Amino acid sequence: MSGSQARLFEKIATGVPPQGGGVTMGQAVVLGGSMAGLLAARVLSEHADEVLIVERDGSEVDQGPRAGVPQGSQVHALLPAGAVQLERWFPGFVAEAVALGAVTPPQDGSREWFYIDGRRRVTAPIDQDWPVLVSTRPFLEALVRRRTLAAPNIRMVTGQAEGLLWEGDAVVGVRYRPAGADGADLADDAAALAADLVVDAMGRSSRLSDWLEQAGWQRPPMRRMPIRLNYATAVFRHDPGISEVWNAVSVAAADPQTGTPARIGGFTLVEDQRWIMLVSGYGEDRPSRDTKDYLQRCRTDFPAVFGDIAERAEMLGEVVTYHQSDSRRRDFHLLRRFPAGLVAAGDSVASFNPVYGQGMTSAALHASCLSAYLHATDTTLSDPALGYFALVRVVVDAAWQVSTFADLALPHVDGPYPRGYRLTRWVAGLLFEQSVTDTVTSERMARVTTMLAHPDSLARPAVLLRALRLYAKERSTGSRKRPG
């Protein structure tokens, strides 16, 4: 199964545009106009006469973070797999983003630093063949929205989704409250939208499970992993005189001897010559909006470059905070019965610890799953979209495996532990250490962490045999201890 998932993931993550044909429909409705909804609409535009996006937040994304994206002011990362998908659906996207100010770090890694427990870690150099695009979330979402709505058959309406329209065992539309309406009568034509396919892209707070249960269907099983993540972000004017570093990540494990909690921090250069910097804590370790607290954390809890930027660069605006209690996934693929005419995408399916930057990229890969499903020769909208959810499961499993496996190392996270956790942890530690000196291992690890490859690709016999040979050689020469 692991090998098949890895191969299927490669097909999902392709950057090759799909060929013509596939399912056709009259009208499709997407609930939610964030990244997942916008990309789903772009895919649907090749199959539907008209695509309507119902978005409750009518504010312009060009004006900064939207109320509908509470974490929009925080550091966001578009992993390379996400950039591949944006280029796939919007040819020339990367070049346009760079022309408008997005950052592409040097491929030699000279301005990107990575720290483990306070020490800078330098990995073996690799020939990077994937795009890297760095910007703020509002910048990226604004560009995706403009490119999406440029399609002649995509339209956005402002309103609040209130439920589904049913016909037998199929969803045939949605009920919504238009912006400015009092919602007194949701049965009139103005508050109903017919649809051949409905996409739930309403995010972590999606009410789809409630709507399904109210209509007599089973709720999708939900899995949660408590993480109790807290973080704070501030923006600074870039000053090369303070530091030559564009991007840095610092990961520090908890130290039971000193009582120091686990912490992750990072900063990156973004559009308009600004640094955006995040500091985080877990559990009761909560960064606040107080500027003094933020500056102190940057100086005392992270490598010196964090403190240099915080203390010497000009802070633009105020410190903003965010809290996420858990990672969660709704396992639609486990349902034996599901209505036709309905799918879910993005955080409505799964949301992960945001410090790993998987959210927007996962949403882009869900759009790829939707395209593959609609192009499959055996797809018909009169049947439940089980084939779609089978594809999405592959993407969710990949992100979930990487992020939750790392979170299980946190002292306040006590499971659930997957089967074979101890062995997998040993192998992961082995590969992680070998990536410092071995170019092949470094490249393989990088493709997994950037979601260009499925984690199961690291379990292929050739990869494991190489790792064991290198480990045996290093142990025989005394150059390597047991993997951590």
Side-chain angles (χ1 to χ4, degrees), residues 62 64 97-103 134-136 138-140 235-239 268-276 314 316:
D62 292 340
V98 171
L100 293 173
V103 177
V134 182
S135 72
T136 62
F139 174 94
L140 188 67
V235 178
F236 301 87
R237 192 175 306 282
H238 176 247
D239 184 346
T268 186
L269 184 67
V270 295
E271 73 276 4
D272 299 327
Q273 292 298 300
R274 298 173 295 163
W275 277 308
I276 183 169
E314 178 188 359
L316 306 174

Side-chain angles (χ1 to χ4, degrees), residues 362-385:
S362 290
L365 291 172
H366 291 182
S368 178
C369 293
L370 182 60
S371 175
Y373 166 71
L374 293 175
H375 278 92
T377 56
D378 59 347
T379 295
T380 172
L381 297 182
S382 60
D383 294 329

Side-chain angles (χ1 to χ4, degrees), residues 84-152:
V84 168
Q85 292 304 308
L86 290 180
E87 189 69 24
R88 179 189 187 193
W89 298 113
F90 308 108
F93 185 93
V94 172
E96 182 180 2
V98 171
L100 293 173
V103 177
T104 53
Q107 290 191 358
D108 61 6
S110 59
R111 298 192 180 187
E112 298 178 277
W113 291 2
F114 183 38
Y115 295 87
I116 296 289
D117 294 328
R119 296 183 179 181
R120 186 180 170 195
R121 180 178 185 272
V122 180
T123 59
I126 59 177
D127 292 329
Q128 187 174 298
D129 62 350
W130 53 76
V132 177
L133 194 61
V134 182
S135 72
T136 62
R137 166 67 179 264
F139 174 94
L140 188 67
E141 187 176 319
L143 183 53
V144 172
R145 178 185 275 198
R146 286 198 298 271
R147 293 292 294 264
T148 299
L149 295 181

Side-chain angles (χ1 to χ4, degrees), residues 116-117 121 253 405 409 421-434 436 445 471 474-475 480-484:
I116 296 289
D117 294 328
R121 180 178 185 272
F405 188 86
Y421 171 73
R422 290 176 180 264
L423 176 60
T424 304
R425 181 178 178 180
W426 187 88
V427 173
L430 178 65
L431 294 172
F432 186 74
E433 291 183 3
Q434 288 181 351
V436 175
M445 291 282 289
Y471 176 60
E474 292 167 347
R475 289 280 288 170
R480 181 62 56 88
K481 299 179 180 179
R482 293 182 181 276

Side-chain angles (χ1 to χ4, degrees), residues 70-352:
Q71 75 279 25
S73 300
Q74 305 294 336
V75 172
H76 276 70
L78 179 71
L79 301 180
V84 168
Q85 292 304 308
L86 290 180
E87 189 69 24
R88 179 189 187 193
W89 298 113
F90 308 108
F93 185 93
V94 172
E96 182 180 2
V98 171
L100 293 173
V103 177
T104 53
Q107 290 191 358
D108 61 6
S110 59
R111 298 192 180 187
E112 298 178 277
W113 291 2
F114 183 38
Y115 295 87
I116 296 289
D117 294 328
R119 296 183 179 181
R120 186 180 170 195
R121 180 178 185 272
V122 180
T123 59
I126 59 177
D127 292 329
Q128 187 174 298
D129 62 350
W130 53 76
V132 177
L133 194 61
V134 182
S135 72
T136 62
R137 166 67 179 264
F139 174 94
L140 188 67
E141 187 176 319
L143 183 53
V144 172
R145 178 185 275 198
R146 286 198 298 271
R147 293 292 294 264
T148 299
L149 295 181
N153 60 338
I154 300 179
R155 182 164 58 92
M156 181 175 287
V157 296
T158 305
Q160 174 71 49
E162 295 290 348
L164 303 172
L165 299 177
W166 297 87
E167 189 174 289
D169 288 345
V171 173
V172 294
V174 301
R175 294 184 292 115
Y176 85 108
R177 182 186 299 122
D182 58 13
D185 184 4
L186 291 175
D188 60 29
D189 293 338
L193 295 172
D196 296 301
L197 183 65
V198 173
V199 179
D200 167 26
M202 294 183 289
R204 276 173 64 91
S205 59
S206 168
R207 291 172 291 161
L208 178 60
S209 295
D210 296 333
W211 295 345
L212 289 171
E213 188 173 52
Q214 291 164 8
W217 297 82
Q218 182 183 357
R219 301 172 68 94
M222 181 183 287
R223 278 191 266 175
R224 298 174 185 261
M225 175 173 284
I227 56 173
R228 299 173 61 199
L229 170 69
N230 319 293
Y231 56 90
T233 293
V235 178
F236 301 87
R237 192 175 306 282
H238 176 247
D239 184 346
I242 297 174
S243 176
E244 64 180 6
V245 183
W246 284 9
N247 307 303
V249 174
S250 172
V251 180
D255 187 341
Q257 294 183 345
T258 63
T260 304
R263 292 193 175 102
I264 295 178
F267 66 83
T268 186
L269 184 67
V270 295
E271 73 276 4
D272 299 327
Q273 292 298 300
R274 298 173 295 163
W275 277 308
I276 183 169
M277 185 157 63
L278 171 151
V279 297
S280 73
Y282 290 95
E284 300 306 316
D285 182 25
R286 299 179 70 101
S288 71
R289 297 180 182 177
D290 180 71
T291 302
K292 291 183 179 179
D293 174 68
Y294 181 88
L295 296 180
Q296 182 179 4
R297 286 174 177 271
C298 290
R299 175 55 69 189
T300 62
D301 298 344
F302 297 94
V305 65
F306 285 73
D308 293 343
I309 292 173
E311 294 174 354
R312 297 170 55 193
E314 178 188 359
M315 183 181 288
L316 306 174
E318 300 178 345
V319 178
V320 292
T321 58
Y322 182 68
H323 170 75
Q324 184 165 312
S325 60
D326 59 25
S327 298
R328 62 181 63 170
R329 59 183 291 178
R330 296 177 176 94
D331 287 329
F332 288 92
H333 66 276
L334 294 179
L335 296 175
R336 295 187 177 182
R337 291 183 64 248
F338 195 75
L342 178 66
V343 298
D347 285 359
S348 296
V349 180
S351 61
F352 316 94

